[in-house]
């Protein structure tokens, strides 16, 4: 079955470059979430969309991080002027809605900043 | 959201039941208990969730104490593929907050 799909699976960039990470949620899922997972840690919340509306971006670590979901389906997480501390796995999850429906995760994009 | 406490690691023999405990003494009435697991290099996988009644699905059973201050995830017949980090999360109307979880090692 079609789960959450993320691309690319791996991304290497030089410090200062901009990167864009893509998330294709499960079809029909209203809610979409982005998480950041540092090595050896649990995922940490970045931002949340309900359809195309970004309702919570409290977890974004700086204004270099920007996320969008213009048509309420595919989402892109963009990081500008990357720094070494941005190296992490970026996970996307989707759910039917934001009530008590479970979130289903993709396998993430592993970002390495050189 | 309420905090959870889990042992950092557990061992289990293949074929035996794995019982993973979780304490959530500050859970409030509208908060659910969720369990996820994460196998190396994969995203977290949803296992099960519940409010106050015990729940069972094809993957596991969730036992929640009557006072809701603790719960146990039961994998009835652990296999080597169940080796993973297991996260117990208490969630209300908010996002998931992951702790460090329990590293379950299933051995032959």
């Amino acid at each position: 079955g079609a789960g959450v799909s993320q691309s690319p699976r791996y991304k290497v960039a030089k410090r200062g470059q901009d990167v864009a990470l893509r998330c294709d949620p499960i079809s029909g899922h209203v809610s979409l979430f982005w998480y950041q997972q540092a090595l050896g840690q649990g995922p940490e919340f970045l931002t949340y969309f309900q359809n195309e509306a970004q309702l919570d971006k409290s977890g974004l670590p700086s204004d270099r991080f920007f996320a969008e979901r213009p048509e309420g389906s595919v989402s892109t997480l963009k990081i500008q002027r990357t720094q070494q501390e941005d190296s992490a796995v970026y996970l996307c999850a989707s759910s039917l809605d934001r009530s008590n429906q479970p979130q289903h995760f993709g396998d993430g994009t592993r970002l390495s900043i050189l | 959201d309420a905090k959870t406490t889990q042992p950092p690691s557990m061992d289990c023999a293949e074929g035996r039941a794995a019982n993973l405990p979780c304490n959530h003494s500050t859970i409030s009435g509208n908060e659910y208990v969720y369990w996820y697991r994460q196998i190396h290099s994969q995203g977290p996988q949803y296992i099960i969730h519940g409010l106050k009644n015990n729940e069972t699905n094809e993957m596991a059973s969730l036992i929640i104490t009557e006072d809701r201050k603790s719960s146990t995830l039961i994998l009835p017949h652990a296999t080597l593929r169940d080796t993973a980090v297991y996260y117990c999360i208490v969630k209300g109307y908010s996002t998931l907050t992951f702790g460090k979880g329990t590293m379950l090692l299933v051995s032959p």
Side-chain angles (χ1 to χ4, degrees):
Chain A
V4 176
S5 177
Q6 293 188 245
S7 61
R9 190 80 170 86
Y10 303 93
K11 176 70 178 176
V12 179
K14 293 182 178 179
R15 189 175 56 179
Q17 289 183 329
D18 299 347
V19 298
L21 313 179
R22 177 187 169 104
C23 173
D24 284 84
I26 295 172
S27 178
H29 279 196
V30 167
S31 298
L32 185 145
F33 305 80
W34 283 98
Y35 293 81
Q36 180 190 59
Q37 186 170 24
L39 193 63
Q41 304 295 317
E44 292 191 358
F45 169 76
L46 293 177
T47 187
Y48 156 66
F49 289 85
Q50 185 165 322
N51 295 305
E52 69 280 1
Q54 189 175 18
L55 299 186
D56 186 348
K57 51 182 180 180
S58 62
L60 295 177
S62 78
D63 58 7
R64 297 185 296 103
F65 287 71
F66 172 76
E68 60 183 6
R69 193 187 185 197
E71 297 178 357
S73 56
V74 172
S75 178
T76 303
L77 177 67
K78 298 179 179 178
I79 309 173
Q80 298 176 322
R81 305 181 303 281
T82 53
Q83 300 178 4
Q84 280 196 314
E85 61 261 31
D86 299 335
S87 296
V89 175
Y90 291 85
L91 294 159
C92 177
S94 69
S95 68
L96 276 172
D97 57 32
R98 202 187 179 180
S99 64
N100 291 305
Q101 295 296 317
Q103 296 178 27
H104 298 276
F105 285 78
D107 284 336
T109 294
R110 181 175 297 275
L111 176 64
S112 298
I113 305 299
L114 305 179
Chain B
D1 291 329
K3 277 194 66 175
T4 62
T5 303
Q6 299 178 253
S9 63
M10 293 183 65
D11 295 324
C12 180
E14 189 178 21
R16 305 298 293 267
N19 297 283
L20 290 89
C22 180
N23 287 323
H24 31 79
S25 58
T26 61
I27 192 169
S28 44
N30 64 343
E31 290 180 318
Y32 281 69
V33 180
Y34 284 77
W35 283 84
Y36 282 77
R37 73 181 181 183
Q38 190 170 24
I39 296 168
H40 183 61
S41 296
Q42 297 182 18
Q45 178 188 23
Y46 166 75
I47 302 173
I48 198 167
H49 74 288
L51 183 62
K52 55 183 178 181
N53 296 321
N54 297 339
E55 302 287 344
T56 295
N57 62 21
E58 65 278 4
M59 288 183 68
S61 294
L62 173 60
I63 309 298
I64 303 174
T65 58
E66 193 168 344
D67 63 7
R68 301 211 321 125
K69 293 185 177 183
S70 64
S71 60
T72 301
L73 178 75
I74 301 173
L75 307 178
H77 306 286
T79 71
L80 300 180
R81 287 179 294 180
D82 292 323
T83 291
V85 177
Y86 287 76
Y87 296 100
C88 168
I89 301 167
V90 169
K91 175 184 172 300
Y93 191 77
S94 66
T95 189
L96 296 170
T97 301
F98 289 81
K100 293 189 181 298
T102 295
M103 175 65 217
L104 175 68
L105 176 63
V106 182
S107 303

